[in-house]
């Protein structure tokens, strides 16, 4: 009987999207323009960063589940 959602990744992704979008807009940055200016190397680095963070979050979630 946990209060955790069945699909935490879906909620996490929505929160991340909201926070990133809000941060960019507060600083006067248009996300569509950024996408056009990123090099392929920068895009790859961002993808790797997201994958690493996702792995870390999943490990943390799995560790928290086994601790209970």
């Amino acid at each position: 009987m946990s209060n955790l959602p069945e699909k935490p990744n879906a909620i996490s992704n929505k929160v991340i999207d909201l926070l990133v979008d809000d941060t960019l807009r507060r600083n006067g940055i248009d996300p569509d323009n950024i996408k056009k200016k990123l090099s392929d190397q920068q895009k790859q680095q961002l993808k790797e960063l997201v994958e690493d963070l996702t792995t870390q979050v999943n490990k943390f979630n799995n560790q928290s589940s086994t601790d209970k």
Side-chain angles (χ1 to χ4, degrees):
M1 292 221 231
S2 174
N3 289 335
L4 295 174
E6 291 182 20
K7 296 187 178 184
N9 288 343
I11 292 173
S12 298
N13 290 341
K14 289 179 183 180
V15 171
I16 290 169
D17 288 343
L18 177 66
L19 291 173
V20 169
D21 188 53
D22 182 54
T23 301
L24 292 174
R25 293 197 190 284
R26 276 189 283 147
N27 290 292
I29 299 171
D30 183 14
D32 292 330
N33 286 338
I34 292 174
K35 291 177 187 176
K36 296 174 187 174
K37 294 179 182 179
L38 289 175
S39 70
D40 288 339
Q41 181 181 5
Q42 289 171 317
K43 289 178 185 179
Q44 183 61 33
Q45 289 174 333
L46 286 171
K47 286 179 185 178
E48 290 172 3
L49 174 64
V50 169
E51 289 171 1
D52 289 343
L53 290 172
T54 301
T55 301
Q56 290 176 20
V57 168
N58 288 337
K59 284 181 182 178
F60 177 78
N61 284 338
N62 290 337
Q63 181 181 6
S64 295
S65 297
T66 57
D67 289 346
K68 291 182 179 182

